[in-house]
Amino acid sequence: MITLRKHILPSVLAVILLSTSACTSETAAGSPSSSPSSKSTKSARSASPSAPASSRPAALQLNPVSPVDARTVLADFKTRGMSSHLEALQRIADANGGNRASGTNGYEESGRYVEEQLRAAGYTPVRQTFSFRGDGRNKKQVQSFNILADTGGSAEHTVVVGAHLDSVPEGPGIDDNGSGIAAVLETARWLKESGIAPANRVRFAFWGGEEDGLYGSQHYVDELSQTEKQQTAANLNVDMVASPNGVRSVHDGDGTDFGHAGPAGSKAIEDIFFQFFKENSLPAETTPFDGGSDYDAFLSAGIPGGGLFTGDEKKKTRAQVQEYGGQAGKHLDPCYHEACDTTSNINQDLLKDMSAALAYGTAAYAMAKTG
Protein backbone atom coordinates (compact mmCIF):
# COMPACT_ATOMS: atom_id res chain seq x y z
CA MET A 1 0.00 0.00 0.00
CA ILE A 2 1.29 3.42 -0.97
CA THR A 3 1.93 6.26 1.48
CA LEU A 4 1.69 9.68 -0.15
CA ARG A 5 4.25 11.44 2.00
CA LYS A 6 6.91 9.05 0.73
CA HIS A 7 5.81 9.08 -2.89
CA ILE A 8 4.81 12.48 -4.30
CA LEU A 9 6.06 11.79 -7.81
CA PRO A 10 5.23 12.80 -11.40
CA SER A 11 4.28 9.90 -13.62
CA VAL A 12 5.61 9.44 -17.14
CA LEU A 13 3.88 6.41 -18.59
CA ALA A 14 5.38 4.71 -21.63
CA VAL A 15 3.48 4.94 -24.88
CA ILE A 16 3.05 1.19 -24.95
CA LEU A 17 -0.53 0.20 -25.66
CA LEU A 18 -2.29 -2.80 -24.28
CA SER A 19 -3.82 -3.90 -27.57
CA THR A 20 -7.44 -4.85 -27.59
CA SER A 21 -6.43 -8.29 -28.80
CA ALA A 22 -2.94 -8.85 -27.40
CA CYS A 23 -0.42 -7.96 -24.72
CA THR A 24 3.28 -8.35 -25.42
CA SER A 25 6.32 -9.07 -23.26
CA GLU A 26 9.92 -10.12 -23.52
CA THR A 27 9.02 -13.32 -21.67
CA ALA A 28 5.32 -13.75 -22.33
CA ALA A 29 3.25 -13.12 -25.42
CA GLY A 30 -0.33 -13.60 -26.49
CA SER A 31 -3.52 -12.12 -25.14
CA PRO A 32 -5.82 -12.68 -22.22
CA SER A 33 -8.66 -14.87 -23.42
CA SER A 34 -11.71 -13.20 -24.97
CA SER A 35 -10.09 -9.75 -25.06
CA PRO A 36 -12.55 -6.91 -25.75
CA SER A 37 -12.48 -5.16 -29.10
CA SER A 38 -10.03 -2.71 -29.14
CA LYS A 39 -3.20 2.61 2.41
CA SER A 40 -2.99 5.97 3.48
CA THR A 41 -3.77 9.15 1.57
CA LYS A 42 -4.41 9.83 -2.07
CA SER A 43 -1.40 9.43 -4.35
CA ALA A 44 -0.29 11.87 -7.01
CA ARG A 45 -2.09 11.34 -10.30
CA SER A 46 -0.35 10.29 -13.49
CA ALA A 47 0.66 12.61 -16.30
CA SER A 48 -2.47 11.54 -18.20
CA PRO A 49 -4.98 11.20 -15.37
CA SER A 50 -8.37 9.60 -15.76
CA ALA A 51 -11.19 12.03 -16.25
CA PRO A 52 -13.68 12.40 -13.42
CA ALA A 53 -16.06 9.50 -13.08
CA SER A 54 -18.98 11.68 -14.16
CA SER A 55 -17.50 12.00 -17.68
CA ARG A 56 -17.14 8.24 -18.13
CA PRO A 57 -19.76 5.86 -19.49
CA ALA A 58 -21.52 4.04 -16.68
CA ALA A 59 -20.01 0.66 -15.90
CA LEU A 60 -22.36 -2.29 -16.09
CA GLN A 61 -23.75 -3.19 -12.69
CA LEU A 62 -23.85 -6.83 -11.65
CA ASN A 63 -25.86 -8.46 -8.90
CA PRO A 64 -23.39 -10.82 -7.20
CA VAL A 65 -24.83 -14.05 -5.82
CA SER A 66 -22.26 -16.61 -4.78
CA PRO A 67 -22.70 -20.10 -6.24
CA VAL A 68 -20.78 -21.59 -3.30
CA ASP A 69 -21.38 -21.87 0.44
CA ALA A 70 -19.35 -19.38 2.48
CA ARG A 71 -18.55 -21.89 5.21
CA THR A 72 -17.34 -24.43 2.67
CA VAL A 73 -15.05 -21.87 1.04
CA LEU A 74 -13.53 -20.90 4.39
CA ALA A 75 -12.94 -24.56 5.30
CA ASP A 76 -11.21 -25.08 1.94
CA PHE A 77 -8.93 -22.08 2.41
CA LYS A 78 -7.89 -23.20 5.87
CA THR A 79 -5.72 -25.81 4.10
CA ARG A 80 -4.71 -24.00 0.91
CA GLY A 81 -1.16 -22.95 0.09
CA MET A 82 -1.05 -19.20 0.63
CA SER A 83 1.97 -19.57 2.92
CA SER A 84 3.97 -21.33 0.23
CA HIS A 85 3.63 -18.25 -1.99
CA LEU A 86 4.84 -16.01 0.84
CA GLU A 87 7.84 -18.25 1.44
CA ALA A 88 8.71 -18.12 -2.27
CA LEU A 89 8.51 -14.32 -2.32
CA GLN A 90 10.68 -14.17 0.81
CA ARG A 91 13.33 -16.34 -0.86
CA ILE A 92 13.25 -14.06 -3.90
CA ALA A 93 13.73 -10.96 -1.75
CA ASP A 94 16.55 -12.61 0.24
CA ALA A 95 18.38 -13.40 -3.00
CA ASN A 96 17.96 -9.87 -4.37
CA GLY A 97 19.07 -7.32 -1.82
CA GLY A 98 16.16 -7.82 0.57
CA ASN A 99 13.35 -6.40 -1.56
CA ARG A 100 11.12 -6.89 -4.60
CA ALA A 101 10.72 -3.26 -5.69
CA SER A 102 9.64 -2.40 -9.24
CA GLY A 103 12.52 -2.22 -11.69
CA THR A 104 14.72 -4.63 -9.70
CA ASN A 105 15.74 -8.24 -10.19
CA GLY A 106 13.59 -9.08 -7.20
CA TYR A 107 10.53 -7.76 -9.00
CA GLU A 108 11.39 -9.62 -12.20
CA GLU A 109 11.79 -12.89 -10.31
CA SER A 110 8.54 -12.25 -8.45
CA GLY A 111 6.83 -11.80 -11.81
CA ARG A 112 8.25 -15.05 -13.13
CA TYR A 113 7.05 -16.87 -10.03
CA VAL A 114 3.50 -15.54 -10.47
CA GLU A 115 3.53 -16.49 -14.14
CA GLU A 116 4.71 -20.01 -13.35
CA GLN A 117 1.95 -20.46 -10.78
CA LEU A 118 -0.70 -19.19 -13.18
CA ARG A 119 0.46 -21.43 -16.01
CA ALA A 120 0.50 -24.44 -13.69
CA ALA A 121 -3.13 -23.65 -12.82
CA GLY A 122 -4.15 -23.55 -16.48
CA TYR A 123 -4.02 -19.81 -17.22
CA THR A 124 -2.14 -17.96 -19.96
CA PRO A 125 -0.53 -14.96 -18.23
CA VAL A 126 0.65 -11.99 -20.26
CA ARG A 127 2.62 -8.89 -19.37
CA GLN A 128 1.59 -5.29 -19.89
CA THR A 129 4.71 -3.14 -19.82
CA PHE A 130 4.96 0.49 -18.74
CA SER A 131 7.52 2.90 -17.34
CA PHE A 132 7.60 5.68 -14.78
CA ARG A 133 10.05 8.23 -13.41
CA GLY A 134 11.63 6.88 -10.25
CA ASP A 135 12.34 8.63 -6.97
CA GLY A 136 15.67 10.05 -5.87
CA ARG A 137 18.09 12.66 -7.13
CA ASN A 138 18.61 11.13 -10.58
CA LYS A 139 14.93 10.23 -11.11
CA LYS A 140 15.75 7.38 -13.45
CA GLN A 141 13.13 5.93 -15.78
CA VAL A 142 11.92 2.65 -14.29
CA GLN A 143 10.68 -0.16 -16.53
CA SER A 144 8.00 -2.32 -14.98
CA PHE A 145 5.03 -4.50 -15.91
CA ASN A 146 1.63 -5.78 -14.86
CA ILE A 147 0.67 -9.45 -15.21
CA LEU A 148 -2.82 -10.29 -16.47
CA ALA A 149 -4.57 -13.66 -16.72
CA ASP A 150 -8.16 -14.31 -17.79
CA THR A 151 -10.82 -16.90 -17.21
CA GLY A 152 -13.47 -17.68 -19.77
CA GLY A 153 -16.78 -15.85 -19.68
CA SER A 154 -18.31 -12.78 -21.25
CA ALA A 155 -15.85 -9.95 -21.91
CA GLU A 156 -18.82 -7.58 -21.72
CA HIS A 157 -18.92 -8.20 -17.96
CA THR A 158 -15.25 -8.19 -16.94
CA VAL A 159 -14.34 -8.37 -13.25
CA VAL A 160 -10.75 -7.33 -12.43
CA VAL A 161 -9.38 -9.01 -9.29
CA GLY A 162 -6.02 -7.50 -8.41
CA ALA A 163 -3.15 -7.00 -5.98
CA HIS A 164 0.16 -5.19 -6.29
CA LEU A 165 3.25 -7.33 -6.77
CA ASP A 166 5.99 -4.86 -5.81
CA SER A 167 7.47 -4.12 -2.40
CA VAL A 168 9.10 -0.95 -1.13
CA PRO A 169 12.93 -0.84 -1.45
CA GLU A 170 13.22 -1.02 2.35
CA GLY A 171 11.98 -4.58 2.70
CA PRO A 172 10.60 -7.80 1.18
CA GLY A 173 6.95 -6.73 1.48
CA ILE A 174 5.47 -10.02 2.64
CA ASP A 175 2.34 -8.53 4.21
CA ASP A 176 2.52 -5.50 1.88
CA ASN A 177 1.70 -7.03 -0.48
CA GLY A 178 2.82 -10.63 -0.71
CA SER A 179 -0.32 -11.45 1.27
CA GLY A 180 -2.52 -9.95 -1.43
CA ILE A 181 -0.60 -11.79 -4.14
CA ALA A 182 -1.03 -15.08 -2.27
CA ALA A 183 -4.77 -14.44 -1.92
CA VAL A 184 -5.21 -13.69 -5.63
CA LEU A 185 -3.08 -16.65 -6.75
CA GLU A 186 -4.99 -19.09 -4.56
CA THR A 187 -8.31 -17.59 -5.67
CA ALA A 188 -7.28 -18.14 -9.30
CA ARG A 189 -6.25 -21.72 -8.56
CA TRP A 190 -9.37 -22.41 -6.50
CA LEU A 191 -11.67 -21.08 -9.23
CA LYS A 192 -10.14 -23.53 -11.73
CA GLU A 193 -10.37 -26.43 -9.29
CA SER A 194 -13.92 -25.65 -8.16
CA GLY A 195 -15.48 -26.53 -11.49
CA ILE A 196 -17.16 -23.11 -11.71
CA ALA A 197 -17.42 -21.98 -15.34
CA PRO A 198 -17.54 -18.17 -15.09
CA ALA A 199 -20.38 -16.49 -16.91
CA ASN A 200 -18.44 -13.24 -16.64
CA ARG A 201 -14.76 -12.98 -17.45
CA VAL A 202 -12.51 -12.64 -14.42
CA ARG A 203 -9.19 -10.93 -15.10
CA PHE A 204 -6.61 -11.61 -12.41
CA ALA A 205 -4.16 -8.69 -12.25
CA PHE A 206 -0.80 -8.30 -10.51
CA TRP A 207 0.17 -4.63 -10.54
CA GLY A 208 3.64 -3.10 -10.74
CA GLY A 209 4.73 0.34 -9.53
CA GLU A 210 2.14 0.59 -6.76
CA GLU A 211 4.56 1.65 -4.07
CA ASP A 212 5.99 4.35 -6.36
CA GLY A 213 2.63 5.96 -7.17
CA LEU A 214 -0.03 3.44 -8.28
CA TYR A 215 1.52 3.49 -11.75
CA GLY A 216 0.68 -0.01 -12.98
CA SER A 217 -3.04 0.04 -12.26
CA GLN A 218 -3.29 3.62 -13.54
CA HIS A 219 -1.57 2.61 -16.77
CA TYR A 220 -3.96 -0.32 -17.17
CA VAL A 221 -7.04 1.89 -16.80
CA ASP A 222 -5.58 4.64 -19.00
CA GLU A 223 -5.08 2.13 -21.82
CA LEU A 224 -8.68 0.92 -21.75
CA SER A 225 -10.97 2.27 -24.44
CA GLN A 226 -14.28 3.84 -23.48
CA THR A 227 -15.99 0.58 -24.45
CA GLU A 228 -13.57 -1.46 -22.32
CA LYS A 229 -14.19 0.79 -19.33
CA GLN A 230 -17.91 0.30 -19.82
CA GLN A 231 -17.39 -3.46 -19.96
CA THR A 232 -15.40 -3.50 -16.70
CA ALA A 233 -18.11 -4.31 -14.20
CA ALA A 234 -16.07 -4.32 -10.98
CA ASN A 235 -12.61 -4.16 -9.43
CA LEU A 236 -11.85 -6.25 -6.34
CA ASN A 237 -8.59 -5.16 -4.70
CA VAL A 238 -6.55 -6.83 -1.93
CA ASP A 239 -3.67 -4.92 -0.37
CA MET A 240 -2.31 -6.18 2.98
CA VAL A 241 -4.55 -9.00 4.20
CA ALA A 242 -2.38 -10.65 6.86
CA SER A 243 -1.36 -7.83 9.20
CA PRO A 244 0.01 -9.33 12.45
CA ASN A 245 -2.14 -7.15 14.75
CA GLY A 246 -4.77 -6.66 12.10
CA VAL A 247 -8.54 -6.52 11.67
CA ARG A 248 -10.91 -7.75 8.96
CA SER A 249 -11.99 -4.70 7.01
CA VAL A 250 -13.94 -4.09 3.82
CA HIS A 251 -13.89 -0.88 1.81
CA ASP A 252 -16.86 1.38 2.49
CA GLY A 253 -18.48 1.18 -0.93
CA ASP A 254 -21.36 3.60 -0.36
CA GLY A 255 -19.42 6.00 1.88
CA THR A 256 -21.94 5.81 4.71
CA ASP A 257 -19.23 5.29 7.32
CA PHE A 258 -16.35 7.42 6.00
CA GLY A 259 -17.78 9.64 3.27
CA HIS A 260 -15.63 8.32 0.41
CA ALA A 261 -18.20 6.53 -1.76
CA GLY A 262 -17.24 4.49 -4.79
CA PRO A 263 -19.18 4.59 -8.08
CA ALA A 264 -22.63 2.99 -8.25
CA GLY A 265 -22.21 -0.73 -7.75
CA SER A 266 -19.48 -0.43 -5.12
CA LYS A 267 -21.97 -1.06 -2.30
CA ALA A 268 -22.74 -4.50 -3.80
CA ILE A 269 -19.04 -5.42 -3.49
CA GLU A 270 -19.02 -4.31 0.14
CA ASP A 271 -22.17 -6.32 0.78
CA ILE A 272 -20.91 -9.60 -0.74
CA PHE A 273 -17.78 -9.50 1.43
CA PHE A 274 -19.79 -8.76 4.56
CA GLN A 275 -22.11 -11.61 3.65
CA PHE A 276 -19.12 -13.97 3.68
CA PHE A 277 -18.01 -12.81 7.11
CA LYS A 278 -21.54 -12.91 8.52
CA GLU A 279 -22.15 -16.47 7.31
CA ASN A 280 -18.90 -17.53 8.97
CA SER A 281 -19.65 -15.60 12.20
CA LEU A 282 -16.46 -13.54 11.77
CA PRO A 283 -16.41 -9.90 12.91
CA ALA A 284 -15.53 -7.34 10.26
CA GLU A 285 -15.67 -3.57 9.82
CA THR A 286 -15.46 -0.96 7.08
CA THR A 287 -12.37 0.95 5.99
CA PRO A 288 -12.39 4.13 3.86
CA PHE A 289 -11.78 4.56 0.15
CA ASP A 290 -8.97 7.09 0.61
CA GLY A 291 -7.00 6.54 -2.61
CA GLY A 292 -4.19 4.54 -1.02
CA SER A 293 -4.19 1.51 -3.32
CA ASP A 294 -4.79 0.26 -6.85
CA TYR A 295 -8.57 0.60 -6.74
CA ASP A 296 -8.06 4.37 -7.15
CA ALA A 297 -7.74 4.43 -10.95
CA PHE A 298 -10.85 2.28 -11.32
CA LEU A 299 -12.94 4.49 -9.05
CA SER A 300 -11.78 7.60 -10.91
CA ALA A 301 -12.89 5.98 -14.17
CA GLY A 302 -16.38 5.35 -12.81
CA ILE A 303 -15.84 1.61 -12.31
CA PRO A 304 -17.34 0.05 -9.16
CA GLY A 305 -14.66 -1.00 -6.71
CA GLY A 306 -14.13 -2.68 -3.39
CA GLY A 307 -11.72 -4.80 -1.50
CA LEU A 308 -10.17 -6.18 1.64
CA PHE A 309 -7.58 -4.80 4.05
CA THR A 310 -6.24 -5.73 7.49
CA GLY A 311 -4.39 -2.53 8.41
CA ASP A 312 -1.05 -0.73 8.30
CA GLU A 313 0.06 2.26 10.42
CA LYS A 314 -3.06 2.79 12.51
CA LYS A 315 -3.12 1.55 16.07
CA LYS A 316 -5.58 -1.05 17.29
CA THR A 317 -8.28 0.26 19.58
CA ARG A 318 -9.59 -1.43 22.71
CA ALA A 319 -12.89 -2.02 20.93
CA GLN A 320 -11.06 -3.79 18.12
CA VAL A 321 -9.20 -5.97 20.61
CA GLN A 322 -12.56 -7.11 21.97
CA GLU A 323 -13.60 -8.14 18.45
CA TYR A 324 -10.36 -9.52 17.02
CA GLY A 325 -7.89 -10.00 19.85
CA GLY A 326 -4.40 -8.57 19.57
CA GLN A 327 -2.81 -5.61 21.35
CA ALA A 328 -4.47 -2.26 21.93
CA GLY A 329 -2.35 0.80 21.16
CA LYS A 330 -0.04 -1.15 18.85
CA HIS A 331 0.18 -0.70 15.07
CA LEU A 332 -1.94 -3.04 13.01
CA ASP A 333 1.26 -3.81 11.10
CA PRO A 334 4.34 -2.68 13.07
CA CYS A 335 6.60 -3.65 10.14
CA TYR A 336 4.72 -1.62 7.51
CA HIS A 337 7.26 -0.54 4.85
CA GLU A 338 10.14 -1.87 6.95
CA ALA A 339 12.78 -4.58 6.55
CA CYS A 340 10.95 -6.67 9.16
CA ASP A 341 7.96 -7.20 6.83
CA THR A 342 8.95 -10.84 6.40
CA THR A 343 7.18 -14.19 6.68
CA SER A 344 7.44 -13.70 10.47
CA ASN A 345 5.18 -10.65 10.11
CA ILE A 346 2.10 -12.60 9.01
CA ASN A 347 -1.17 -13.36 10.79
CA GLN A 348 -1.93 -16.76 9.30
CA ASP A 349 -5.54 -16.81 10.50
CA LEU A 350 -6.32 -13.48 8.87
CA LEU A 351 -4.56 -14.59 5.68
CA LYS A 352 -6.87 -17.62 5.45
CA ASP A 353 -10.01 -15.65 6.29
CA MET A 354 -9.33 -12.84 3.84
CA SER A 355 -8.20 -15.14 1.01
CA ALA A 356 -11.41 -17.15 1.41
CA ALA A 357 -13.45 -13.93 1.39
CA LEU A 358 -11.79 -12.89 -1.86
CA ALA A 359 -12.55 -16.28 -3.43
CA TYR A 360 -16.18 -16.07 -2.31
CA GLY A 361 -16.57 -12.55 -3.74
CA THR A 362 -14.80 -13.49 -6.97
CA ALA A 363 -17.11 -16.47 -7.51
CA ALA A 364 -20.14 -14.27 -6.83
CA TYR A 365 -19.06 -11.81 -9.52
CA ALA A 366 -17.99 -14.53 -11.94
CA MET A 367 -21.57 -15.80 -11.91
CA ALA A 368 -23.42 -12.49 -11.34
CA LYS A 369 -26.24 -11.29 -13.58
CA THR A 370 -27.02 -7.75 -14.68
CA GLY A 371 -30.01 -5.82 -13.47
Side-chain angles (χ1 to χ4, degrees):
M1 178 166 281
I2 187 174
T3 303
L4 175 63
R5 59 180 174 273
K6 292 185 179 179
H7 301 286
I8 304 180
L9 304 172
S11 169
V12 182
L13 297 174
V15 188
I16 301 172
L17 299 179
L18 173 62
S19 166
T20 59
S21 61
C23 299
T24 59
S25 166
E26 294 177 0
T27 60
S31 70
S33 60
S34 306
S35 293
S37 61
S38 141
K39 319 186 177 172
S40 302
T41 53
K42 194 173 184 67
S43 78
R45 304 303 301 159
S46 67
S48 55
S50 295
S54 60
S55 70
R56 299 298 188 190
L60 294 172
Q61 291 189 36
L62 296 178
N63 291 325
V65 179
S66 184
V68 290
D69 178 73
R71 290 165 296 182
T72 301
V73 177
L74 180 59
D76 190 358
F77 271 78
K78 292 293 186 183
T79 59
R80 294 195 70 88
M82 286 81 69
S83 292
S84 65
H85 301 311
L86 301 185
E87 290 163 2
L89 294 174
Q90 181 71 64
R91 288 193 297 271
I92 289 169
D94 291 344
N96 290 279
N99 72 79
R100 303 178 299 98
S102 281
T104 67
N105 288 336
Y107 186 77
E108 171 63 32
E109 290 191 23
S110 297
R112 291 178 185 173
Y113 174 79
V114 166
E115 290 164 340
E116 289 169 1
Q117 293 296 310
L118 290 169
R119 290 191 189 101
Y123 293 92
T124 304
V126 298
R127 292 189 183 188
Q128 181 190 34
T129 57
F130 63 94
S131 66
F132 61 90
R133 189 74 68 182
D135 202 356
R137 183 174 299 176
N138 295 326
K139 297 191 184 325
K140 294 180 180 179
Q141 197 77 1
V142 177
Q143 301 296 322
S144 192
F145 56 86
N146 301 320
I147 298 173
L148 309 172
D150 288 352
T151 68
S154 172
E156 294 183 358
H157 307 85
T158 296
V159 180
V160 180
V161 178
H164 75 85
L165 181 57
D166 60 319
S167 75
V168 292
E170 291 82 6
I174 302 304
D175 183 29
D176 186 15
N177 184 37
S179 62
I181 295 302
V184 175
L185 278 175
E186 281 305 303
T187 294
R189 293 175 61 180
W190 172 84
L191 197 62
K192 285 282 189 181
E193 295 166 9
S194 69
I196 296 171
N200 309 308
R201 179 175 67 179
V202 178
R203 172 164 288 174
F204 294 106
F206 304 82
W207 309 118
E210 193 271 357
E211 296 291 5
D212 301 278
L214 310 178
Y215 290 116
S217 52
Q218 184 67 57
H219 179 73
Y220 174 83
V221 173
D222 286 345
E223 294 305 299
L224 295 175
S225 68
Q226 293 290 87
T227 298
E228 289 166 335
K229 288 187 177 76
Q230 204 167 12
Q231 292 175 335
T232 305
N235 169 233
L236 311 185
N237 186 71
V238 279
D239 191 351
M240 302 180 67
V241 288
S243 306
N245 195 35
V247 300
R248 299 179 199 89
S249 63
V250 177
H251 286 295
D252 180 21
D254 60 359
T256 54
D257 294 328
F258 293 98
H260 299 280
S266 299
K267 178 62 162 59
I269 301 173
E270 177 187 348
D271 288 345
I272 200 67
F273 285 134
F274 272 115
Q275 180 178 318
F276 171 85
F277 292 124
K278 181 179 179 180
E279 291 187 16
N280 281 290
S281 301
L282 294 172
E285 60 190 63
T286 52
T287 190
F289 269 139
D290 57 8
S293 192
D294 289 299
Y295 56 74
D296 190 53
F298 292 88
L299 302 188
S300 296
I303 296 167
L308 301 166
F309 178 54
T310 54
D312 51 24
E313 295 178 301
K314 289 186 178 179
K315 294 181 179 180
K316 181 169 273 188
T317 66
R318 287 195 177 95
Q320 287 173 326
V321 171
Q322 291 179 348
E323 292 283 358
Y324 309 101
Q327 294 181 290
K330 301 295 184 181
H331 295 291
L332 299 174
D333 184 349
C335 289
Y336 176 63
H337 284 187
E338 302 291 343
C340 58
D341 186 9
T342 66
T343 51
S344 298
N345 189 49
I346 294 297
N347 184 320
Q348 293 290 343
D349 290 334
L350 280 182
L351 178 62
K352 294 169 186 176
D353 295 346
M354 304 303 268
S355 297
L358 179 66
Y360 182 81
T362 299
Y365 272 90
M367 303 306 292
K369 296 181 179 179
T370 59

